[in-house]
Amino acid sequence: MIRLQNIEKVYRTDTVETLAVNGISLDIAQGEFLSIMGPSGCGKSTLLNIMGLLDEPSKGSVRIDNQDISHFSDRKLASFRNQKLGFIFQSYHLINDLQVVDNVELPLLYRNSTAKERRRLAEAALEKVGLSNRLKHFPTQLSGGQRQRVAIARAIVGSPQIILADEPTGNLDSVMGNEIMDILINLNQREGTTIVMVTHDENMAHKTHRLVRLFDGSQVQ
Amino acid sequence: MFKNYFKIAIAVLKRRKFFTFISLFGISFTLTVLMVATAFVNKVVSSDYPDLKRDRCLYVNRVEMRNTKEGWYNQSSPSYYLAEHYISTLKVPQKISISSFSRRTNAYVNDKKIFIEYQFTNADYWTVGDFIFLEGKPYTQQQISNAERVAVISESTKKAYFGDVPVAVGKYIEADNVSYRVIGVVKGVSKTMQVYYADLYLPYTVSKTDYKRKSLMGDYKVILLAGTKADVSRMKQEFNAMIAKVPIDNKQYDKMYIHADGAFEDLCRRMVGDGLNSGVFKLVSLVGLVVFLFLLLPTINLVNINITRIMERSSEIGVRKAFGASSRTLVYQFIVENLILTFIGGGIGLIFSILVIYQINALELIPNLDLRLNVSVLLYSLLACLFFGLLSGVYPAWRMSRLNVVRALKS
């Protein structure tokens, strides 16, 4: 599903050059639930961003669903992300000015779907994460766990084949973290969604199919 | 999608109320000034009482004599002689209105001084212009030929001179030490309608100045009225052919320019044109430049505010990009949001404009001005809103759309 070949990412400033990801190659199969672990600054999030086409590698190639995306234009890349990928962020990144249901509808705005269809899908997604009674709430009126569930609903509303989760339980206590993890496992098992999750939590990582460990930008496990 | 943008735009407006106040104040103030100015310009350039047949009229307001060898020239209005002796020979015009430029005199009523602007006219003047007679009727050709001391007055002159009398016809009005019998009262003409504005209208034959003087330059103005719109160009051709044959009556000059212009062309020529050039392009460019410069300052201000506001939303930009918004879609979103802001400001500006225009009309700073916010003024204002919104929205939108997703999400 995702094939990374010899990925390198270098951040350059006027005086310093930092190698964030150093020659990582990784194959992730369809329906796989993979976790990435490593100390802070080891390149986990950078790698996830490259997989999510949010960042470009300095070297190497990224293939998703058998397509080489290196020559995609901004527009095609945006459309590809919209169709194939869903994102969950540690700090949720919900739009506080929009109601929960409008937040969840967001990925569908960039598709040719009607308002009615968008609403139906958003409600269905919120139902899956157990928040169908919070449609009209604003993110600031929800707890951390509820916000992350909204973020998951937003990630799955467009039925993407891949979900990339960057420390989805990082801001939550263990009870809420486990709830979120259960939703993700459920999603992976029932719908066959490929999930790549960056985490600091060994317990969470061990619930996934495969664990990749990074250190100083290189894969060590 | 638009609904989503609208919700966001309104939410952003509510978020930082001081910024919103500054933005909306800037927009509404700017647009109020523009709308009032547009209403004024529209009043001047559009057909209005009593000049309602503009599309069938040509105006002769200027005579320009040039000494091309020494490079100097002299400009004036046409004389009555030019109008009567040459222009009146034209066959295509259905009617030819001849009237003097307004002159000013004082009249005293109950020890109170009032100013009276008066002009001398021929009989066709009353049929070329669509005057509304509140009382009586205009003077006839016969009365003009007899040099009868009769007058048509405006309704404001009636009130100022005679007070609240029911009928003024038959009474006498004294102006420039001459007493005239009032035979008609017309609805007041706006001061902006230079060709027709006066407080008192008199037959040209009672003029104290020698209107028969054989000179091409004088202080009259001429309006040619064609039978149909289609005849206007033919009328112009005939006029030009006739003028080409008029001999220059002063040896100092070797070139003469006299034009029969459409209403707008005539206005431009009077303001910035000359014999060689109508000045339409010059005036339109000048007005465009003034409007542009007037809009530029608040636009720059709004651009700055917009950039600050959009910067606060970098996380949202990151999320939208991550979930499939292209840079172009984001540019579109921010422009739409800015247009919503501008149109809200425009709405407030419209309310202010109505109040300001009401006050201007009530204060009677310009007699009979009667400014209105009609469809064309609203349309121009809508265009101004659109232009303003785009001008102030494009750059911040473009800048924000280029934001790197990862950096946007981190901030």
Side-chain angles (χ1 to χ4, degrees):
Chain A
M1 193 70 197
I2 302 174
R3 170 167 286 182
L4 306 181
Q5 278 185 312
N6 204 21
I7 296 292
E8 257 187 48
K9 180 69 186 177
V10 182
Y11 291 108
R12 290 186 177 87
T13 63
D14 291 343
T15 50
V16 186
E17 201 170 81
T18 312
L19 187 62
V21 177
N22 184 11
I24 291 181
S25 295
L26 204 58
D27 270 321
I28 302 166
Q30 188 172 355
E32 193 175 2
F33 192 161
L34 178 115
S35 52
I36 302 172
M37 286 195 74
S40 293
C42 70
K44 305 183 296 288
S45 295
T46 304
L47 191 64
L48 198 74
N49 288 336
I50 289 170
M51 280 186 217
L53 316 179
L54 302 178
D55 210 349
E56 280 179 51
S58 308
K59 250 189 200 172
S61 73
V62 181
R63 288 183 79 86
I64 294 177
D65 201 16
N66 276 328
Q67 292 188 63
D68 182 1
I69 51 84
S70 54
H71 303 297
F72 278 17
S73 64
D74 172 69
R75 223 171 146 188
K76 198 162 178 194
L77 217 52
S79 166
F80 193 83
R81 272 199 299 263
N82 181 259
Q83 299 289 332
K84 305 270 182 193
L85 305 172
F87 297 89
I88 302 166
F89 306 101
Q90 181 182 2
S91 48
Y92 330 122
H93 283 308
L94 298 174
I95 301 172
N96 289 333
D97 295 316
L98 293 178
Q99 289 172 343
V100 162
V101 70
D102 291 323
N103 265 289
V104 176
E105 273 186 24
L106 189 121
L108 305 175
L109 288 176
Y110 307 113
R111 294 182 183 185
N112 289 328
S113 50
T114 62
K116 208 171 167 186
E117 178 72 357
R118 286 203 298 268
R119 183 52 57 109
R120 188 183 66 74
L121 290 172
E123 284 176 5
L126 282 164
E127 173 116 41
K128 277 184 195 168
V129 297
L131 280 180
S132 47
N133 56 342
R134 294 281 189 271
L135 300 181
K136 300 283 178 191
H137 283 64
F138 285 92
T140 47
Q141 296 170 310
L142 304 177
S143 68
Q146 285 173 324
R147 285 185 213 186
Q148 196 56 295
R149 281 197 270 164
V150 175
I152 293 173
R154 180 179 62 187
I156 64 172
V157 71
S159 306
Q161 291 167 278
I162 302 162
I163 284 182
L164 303 170
D166 192 357
E167 301 193 42
T169 58
N171 278 0
L172 306 174
D173 61 34
S174 59
V175 179
M176 282 192 181
N178 283 328
E179 273 180 25
I180 296 299
M181 202 55 202
D182 289 345
I183 294 172
L184 292 177
I185 291 168
N186 212 3
L187 201 65
N188 172 252
Q189 286 173 350
R190 284 198 184 166
E191 302 188 18
T193 310
T194 309
I195 301 177
V196 181
M197 178 179 77
V198 165
T199 183
H200 276 294
D201 191 326
E202 289 275 353
N203 292 331
M204 300 294 177
H206 284 119
K207 290 180 182 178
T208 64
H209 299 155
R210 183 156 59 120
L211 172 61
V212 168
R213 283 186 196 274
L214 303 186
F215 188 78
D216 277 352
S218 302
Q219 187 176 345
V220 291
Q221 180 187 329
Chain B
M1 188 180 275
F2 184 79
K3 194 175 160 193
N4 189 281
Y5 293 169
F6 189 79
K7 279 183 186 175
I8 279 279
I10 298 299
V12 169
L13 287 183
K14 283 182 185 166
R15 210 190 289 161
R16 296 283 288 265
K17 291 189 173 65
F18 182 68
F19 272 179
T20 303
F21 170 75
I22 297 283
S23 301
L24 287 178
F25 179 77
I27 296 167
S28 54
F29 179 76
T30 306
L31 291 175
T32 299
V33 175
L34 269 186
M35 277 188 227
V36 174
T38 308
F40 186 79
V41 171
N42 188 57
K43 181 85 183 171
V44 173
V45 300
S46 303
S47 260
D48 195 16
Y49 168 80
D51 196 7
L52 300 175
K53 301 189 196 99
R54 279 192 175 183
D55 53 347
R56 284 164 52 201
C57 287
L58 290 175
Y59 302 76
V60 187
N61 271 315
R62 181 181 278 204
V63 175
E64 186 176 305
M65 305 273 193
R66 277 182 184 259
N67 182 323
T68 55
K69 284 169 201 141
E70 293 175 26
W72 54 276
Y73 64 92
N74 191 4
Q75 286 179 340
S76 179
S77 307
S79 64
Y80 181 82
Y81 171 74
L82 172 67
E84 177 60 28
H85 194 74
Y86 293 103
I87 301 175
S88 291
T89 61
L90 297 176
K91 299 282 182 288
V92 180
Q94 198 180 53
K95 300 275 179 191
I96 298 176
S97 152
I98 305 170
S99 56
S100 70
F101 275 90
S102 291
R103 298 155 199 197
R104 208 167 192 207
T105 185
N106 303 327
Y108 293 89
V109 183
N110 300 328
D111 293 334
K112 196 179 151 199
K113 186 162 85 172
I114 59 169
F115 295 105
I116 291 183
E117 282 195 37
Y118 62 101
Q119 55 175 269
F120 299 103
T121 80
N122 68 350
D124 277 355
Y125 181 85
W126 300 107
T127 42
V128 174
D130 290 303
F131 282 90
I132 296 170
F133 273 81
L134 305 172
E135 276 182 50
K137 55 188 178 183
Y139 32 82
T140 61
Q141 184 54 52
Q142 190 57 51
Q143 286 172 306
I144 294 174
S145 301
N146 296 344
E148 287 183 29
R149 287 179 173 171
V150 287
V152 172
I153 61 173
S154 69
E155 58 181 325
S156 55
T157 310
K158 175 189 166 185
K159 190 163 186 204
Y161 198 90
F162 299 111
D164 290 323
V165 293
V167 179
V169 168
K171 292 181 183 295
Y172 284 83
I173 183 167
E174 195 178 297
D176 208 16
N177 299 320
V178 180
S179 192
Y180 299 95
R181 180 166 55 89
V182 176
I183 59 164
V185 179
V186 289
K187 184 177 169 230
V189 175
S190 166
K191 179 90 174 171
T192 54
M193 196 61 65
Q194 206 197 357
V195 181
Y196 287 104
Y197 176 78
D199 302 309
L200 180 71
Y201 303 86
L202 303 167
Y204 66 86
T205 45
V206 302
S207 169
K208 286 180 184 173
T209 53
D210 180 15
Y211 65 88
K212 289 178 184 164
R213 189 170 55 91
K214 285 189 179 176
S215 164
L216 298 176
M217 289 180 154
D219 70 339
Y220 276 78
K221 50 195 186 289
V222 181
I223 306 173
L224 311 176
L225 175 70
T228 63
K229 247 197 268 186
D231 287 338
V232 174
S233 59
R234 208 154 58 84
M235 187 162 77
K236 190 163 187 160
Q237 280 171 12
E238 190 193 18
F239 178 87
N240 289 339
M242 179 274 295
I243 286 296
K245 290 179 196 155
V246 174
I248 299 172
D249 59 351
N250 189 329
K251 289 198 172 75
Q252 289 183 87
Y253 308 106
D254 57 355
K255 200 95 184 146
M256 179 175 73
Y257 298 96
I258 305 173
H259 297 275
D261 293 321
F264 185 63
E265 213 178 358
D266 174 62
L267 178 80
C268 295
R269 197 184 295 279
R270 274 188 282 137
M271 290 178 82
V272 293
D274 56 29
L276 294 162
N277 200 314
S278 70
V280 172
F281 178 74
K282 198 173 169 185
L283 188 64
V284 170
S285 310
L286 213 65
V287 170
L289 186 70
V290 169
V291 170
F292 180 75
L293 290 176
F294 182 72
L295 280 174
L296 195 61
L297 209 64
T299 300
I300 292 170
N301 184 31
L302 197 60
V303 165
N304 275 326
I305 293 176
N306 279 343
I307 288 174
T308 313
R309 293 189 101 149
I310 298 176
M311 279 290 192
E312 290 173 346
R313 295 166 63 189
S314 56
S315 151
E316 179 194 331
I317 293 166
V319 168
R320 285 186 186 272
K321 278 198 156 187
F323 282 100
S326 63
S327 297
R328 191 193 289 190
T329 314
L330 286 175
V331 168
Y332 173 70
Q333 178 192 337
F334 289 124
I335 289 176
V336 169
E337 281 183 23
N338 200 53
L339 284 175
I340 291 168
L341 174 73
T342 313
F343 277 97
I344 293 172
I348 298 169
L350 184 67
I351 296 166
F352 282 159
S353 305
I354 291 168
L355 294 174
V356 170
I357 284 175
Y358 175 80
Q359 273 304 315
I360 290 175
N361 288 339
L363 287 173
E364 286 240 358
L365 295 171
I366 300 173
N368 305 315
L369 183 62
D370 192 24
L371 283 185
R372 275 180 200 176
L373 277 175
N374 55 26
V375 179
S376 43
V377 174
L378 287 176
L379 211 69
Y380 288 131
S381 310
L382 200 73
L383 275 177
C385 278
L386 206 67
F387 181 68
F388 192 65
L390 287 175
L391 207 65
S392 59
V394 168
Y395 175 67
W398 175 81
R399 209 175 127 176
M400 290 309 110
S401 74
R402 316 296 296 174
L403 213 61
N404 176 279
V405 190
V406 177
R407 230 173 290 149
L409 287 169
K410 272 185 187 161
S411 62

